[in-house]
Amino acid sequence: MLLLLIFGSLVLLGLVTWYLLNMQSAAISRQGIALAAGAPAASLLSKRHGSANNAIVITGPAQSGKTSLWYHLRFPAPRNRHEDNNNNNNNNNNNNDSADTNIDDGNKAFASARTPSLPETLASMAINTVETDIHEGRALLIDIPGHPKFKFDRDSHLALAKGVLFVIDSSTIAQSVRPTAEALYEVLANKSVQEKECPVLLLCNKQDEPSSVSNTRIKAMLEDEINSLRASRQASAKSLGHANYDDDDDAAAEEKAADFLGYDGKKFSFEDLPNPVQLNESSMVIGHDAGGFEHIERWIADTVQS
């Protein structure tokens, strides 16, 4: 009987020990995942005594490629290794045709399919943050999911922004120009963005897709849509009695200034905004010649150093 009691006690002690070890392991795993995803922006800023002079907010509609871009900016090595390998191949094969450097039009699609890309990501449902060196600058990159429930988080992080990187899906913009313009309007009309005259880079992503639209065309589409949105917002505000633009009331004037983009009586143009707005094409497919990555990195470095 005594032996059974001792055996039972040992078994129970073993089970308790096993449970505690598993709980500790799970806690360590969760901590590792959290660190891999990036520390919260508030934590990073608190370590820097509340400074927000290097925060770049990456925002835009869902599934436009924001998190893929965030990963590239944080881990740029794969692209560099690919470029180094191409350079080495070219140097070692000066007298030979290379399958990757001598591609006719009929094989471009096949070559694109073989081109390495960044890790595929799902639509993010969490904010990713990391502070990293980009060229001569150091930037706090904040990736905000495009889901509508993150609008409050987006606006609160825009208050920290030194610059805004708005990512657009060039391959679906023809079908999604309205919601894209609405999201962009909210960013451009944000009080903090306007007061600080934050630089904004509109990144026309997924240029490797056959259905992609050029940045010149996207610029025209967005300006037309924002012009329409501006008129409907103005009419809606007047009909609800929230804005009387003939009144000298300071609150009404402030509301008009905050929500109205461009000049009254003039068709909307990005050039009419107080903050500089640039457009650039990009692709998250490594090696795709969209002229994007170097320009993005240079824009971020110049913005955080300005």
Side-chain angles (χ1 to χ4, degrees):
M1 186 66 179
L2 180 60
L3 291 175
L4 288 175
L5 289 174
I6 294 174
F7 179 75
S9 299
L10 291 174
V11 171
L12 180 62
L13 179 61
L15 290 173
V16 171
T17 303
W18 175 83
Y19 175 78
L20 292 176
L21 288 174
N22 275 273
M23 291 293 290
Q24 183 179 12
S25 176
I28 292 173
S29 297
R30 286 193 298 269
Q31 183 180 12
I33 292 171
L35 291 173
S43 174
L44 286 172
L45 289 173
S46 65
K47 292 178 181 178
R48 304 175 67 246
H49 309 290
S51 173
N53 61 359
N54 70 338
I56 300 295
V57 173
I58 303 174
T59 185
Q63 298 182 335
S64 57
K66 298 181 297 298
T67 302
S68 292
L69 173 64
W70 183 86
Y71 270 108
H72 163 77
L73 294 170
R74 187 182 181 189
F75 305 110
R79 177 177 66 95
N80 295 337
R81 286 199 298 269
H82 178 68
E83 290 176 351
D84 290 341
N85 288 338
N86 280 346
N87 291 334
N88 291 334
N89 289 337
N90 291 338
N91 292 334
N92 295 331
N93 297 282
N94 288 331
N95 298 323
N96 299 319
D97 289 334
S98 170
D100 288 331
T101 58
N102 186 20
I103 302 172
D104 58 29
D105 291 339
N107 290 326
K108 281 184 179 178
F110 174 72
S112 177
R114 294 187 293 120
T115 304
S117 61
L118 293 166
E120 292 186 6
T121 59
L122 299 175
S124 298
M125 293 304 291
I127 298 172
N128 296 312
T129 61
V130 68
E131 190 169 26
T132 186
D133 293 321
I134 298 179
H135 288 295
E136 302 82 13
R138 186 161 180 82
L140 175 61
L141 305 175
I142 308 174
D143 166 33
I144 309 292
H147 192 278
K149 78 173 187 177
F150 286 93
K151 283 186 177 182
F152 175 80
D153 298 279
R154 178 199 65 196
D155 292 343
S156 63
H157 282 85
L158 285 175
L160 310 173
K162 186 68 179 288
V164 180
L165 213 165
F166 190 93
V167 186
I168 300 166
D169 185 345
S170 302
S171 67
T172 62
I173 187 65
Q175 296 78 35
S176 62
V177 62
R178 184 71 174 189
T180 300
E182 288 174 344
L184 179 57
Y185 196 113
E186 291 171 356
V187 169
L188 295 175
N190 180 273
K191 184 178 180 181
S192 297
V193 171
Q194 289 193 340
E195 288 181 348
K196 294 185 294 183
E197 297 186 2
C198 285
V200 177
L201 176 60
L202 305 182
L203 192 62
C204 305
N205 194 29
K206 302 189 180 182
Q207 286 292 319
D208 56 291
E209 296 287 343
S211 59
S212 63
V213 180
S214 70
N215 61 351
T216 303
R217 177 58 183 150
I218 290 175
K219 179 178 184 289
M221 293 169 66
L222 288 174
E223 286 181 336
D224 288 343
E225 200 65 34
I226 289 177
N227 190 67
S228 176
L229 279 170
R230 188 178 65 174
S232 61
R233 280 171 171 254
Q234 189 177 26
S236 177
K238 286 182 177 180
S239 65
L240 292 174
H242 293 318
N244 182 1
Y245 297 148
D246 295 327
D247 198 343
D248 292 331
D249 181 75
D250 291 340
E254 183 178 352
E255 181 179 356
K256 175 188 175 182
D259 196 52
F260 192 88
L261 299 178
Y263 299 117
D264 200 0
K266 181 180 182 294
K267 184 180 181 297
F268 173 78
S269 172
F270 288 116
E271 284 74 14
D272 294 335
L273 296 176
N275 41 329
V277 178
Q278 297 182 34
L279 283 90
N280 195 61
E281 296 179 349
S282 71
S283 168
M284 296 301 111
V285 174
I286 300 170
H288 186 277
D289 186 19
F293 283 131
E294 176 62 28
H295 185 275
I296 297 166
E297 293 167 350
R298 175 52 57 193
W299 178 87
I300 292 174
D302 291 345
T303 298
V304 298
Q305 290 179 308
S306 63

Coordinates of all heavy atoms in Angstrom, one line a residue, residues 2 21 69 103 108 141 156 163 196 202 213-215 218 225 229 246 253 264 266:
L2 N 1.9 1.2 0.8 CA 2.8 2.4 0.9 C 3.5 2.6 -0.4 O 3.7 3.7 -0.9 CB 3.9 2.1 2.0 CG 4.9 3.2 2.2 CD1 4.2 4.5 2.6 CD2 5.9 2.8 3.3
L21 N 6.5 23.0 -17.2 CA 7.5 23.2 -18.2 C 6.9 23.6 -19.5 O 7.4 24.4 -20.3 CB 8.3 21.9 -18.4 CG 9.3 21.6 -17.3 CD1 10.0 20.2 -17.5 CD2 10.4 22.6 -17.2
L69 N 6.2 44.7 -47.9 CA 7.1 45.9 -48.0 C 7.8 46.0 -46.6 O 9.1 46.2 -46.6 CB 6.4 47.1 -48.3 CG 7.2 48.4 -48.3 CD1 8.3 48.4 -49.3 CD2 6.3 49.6 -48.5
I103 N 16.3 37.2 -72.2 CA 15.0 36.7 -72.1 C 14.2 37.4 -73.2 O 14.1 38.6 -73.2 CB 14.3 36.9 -70.8 CG1 15.2 36.2 -69.7 CG2 12.9 36.4 -70.8 CD1 14.7 36.6 -68.3
K108 N 9.2 36.0 -71.0 CA 9.2 36.9 -69.9 C 8.3 36.5 -68.7 O 8.6 36.6 -67.6 CB 8.8 38.4 -70.3 CG 9.9 39.1 -71.0 CD 9.5 40.5 -71.3 CE 10.7 41.3 -71.9 NZ 10.3 42.7 -72.3
L141 N 9.6 51.9 -38.5 CA 8.6 51.5 -39.5 C 7.4 50.9 -38.8 O 7.5 49.9 -38.0 CB 9.2 50.4 -40.4 CG 10.5 50.8 -41.1 CD1 11.0 49.7 -41.9 CD2 10.3 52.1 -42.0
S156 N -4.1 57.3 -34.7 CA -3.3 57.6 -33.6 C -1.8 57.5 -33.9 O -0.9 58.3 -33.4 CB -3.6 56.6 -32.4 OG -3.3 55.3 -32.8
G163 N 6.7 60.7 -41.8 CA 6.3 60.5 -43.2 C 5.3 59.4 -43.3 O 5.2 58.5 -42.4
K196 N 1.8 69.0 -39.7 CA 3.2 68.7 -39.8 C 3.7 68.7 -41.2 O 4.9 68.6 -41.5 CB 3.6 67.4 -39.1 CG 3.4 67.4 -37.6 CD 3.9 66.1 -37.0 CE 3.1 64.9 -37.5 NZ 3.5 63.6 -36.8
L202 N 3.1 57.7 -52.3 CA 2.0 56.8 -52.8 C 2.8 55.7 -53.6 O 3.3 56.0 -54.7 CB 1.0 57.6 -53.7 CG 0.3 58.8 -53.1 CD1 -0.7 59.4 -54.1 CD2 -0.3 58.4 -51.8
V213 N -1.7 49.0 -63.3 CA -1.8 50.3 -63.9 C -0.6 51.2 -63.6 O -0.1 51.1 -62.4 CB -3.2 50.9 -63.5 CG1 -3.3 52.3 -64.1 CG2 -4.3 50.0 -63.8
S214 N -0.2 52.0 -64.5 CA 1.0 52.8 -64.2 C 0.7 53.9 -63.2 O -0.5 54.2 -62.9 CB 1.4 53.5 -65.5 OG 0.5 54.5 -65.9
N215 N 1.8 54.4 -62.5 CA 1.5 55.4 -61.5 C 1.0 56.7 -62.1 O 0.2 57.4 -61.4 CB 2.9 55.7 -60.8 CG 4.0 56.2 -61.7 OD1 3.8 56.2 -62.9 ND2 5.0 56.7 -61.1
I218 N -2.7 56.0 -62.3 CA -3.3 56.0 -60.9 C -3.4 57.3 -60.3 O -4.4 57.7 -59.7 CB -2.4 55.1 -60.1 CG1 -2.5 53.6 -60.5 CG2 -2.8 55.2 -58.6 CD1 -1.6 52.6 -59.8
E225 N -11.2 60.9 -58.3 CA -12.0 60.3 -57.3 C -12.0 61.2 -56.0 O -13.1 61.4 -55.4 CB -11.6 58.9 -57.0 CG -12.6 58.0 -56.3 CD -13.8 57.7 -57.2 OE1 -13.6 57.6 -58.4 OE2 -14.9 57.7 -56.6
L229 N -15.1 62.9 -54.2 CA -15.3 62.7 -52.7 C -15.4 64.0 -52.0 O -16.2 64.2 -51.1 CB -14.2 61.9 -52.1 CG -14.3 60.4 -52.3 CD1 -12.9 59.7 -51.9 CD2 -15.4 59.8 -51.5
D246 N -20.2 80.1 -44.8 CA -20.4 81.5 -44.9 C -20.2 82.2 -43.5 O -20.3 83.4 -43.4 CB -21.7 81.9 -45.5 CG -21.8 81.4 -46.9 OD1 -20.8 81.4 -47.6 OD2 -22.9 81.0 -47.4
A253 N -14.7 77.1 -39.5 CA -13.5 77.3 -40.4 C -12.5 76.2 -40.2 O -11.9 75.8 -41.2 CB -12.9 78.7 -40.1
D264 N -10.8 75.4 -53.0 CA -12.2 75.5 -53.3 C -12.4 76.2 -54.7 O -11.7 77.2 -55.0 CB -13.0 76.3 -52.2 CG -14.5 76.1 -52.3 OD1 -14.9 75.3 -53.1 OD2 -15.2 76.7 -51.4
K266 N -11.4 74.8 -57.5 CA -10.4 74.3 -58.4 C -10.4 72.8 -58.3 O -10.5 72.2 -57.2 CB -9.1 74.8 -58.0 CG -7.9 74.4 -58.9 CD -6.6 75.0 -58.5 CE -5.4 74.6 -59.4 NZ -5.1 73.2 -59.3

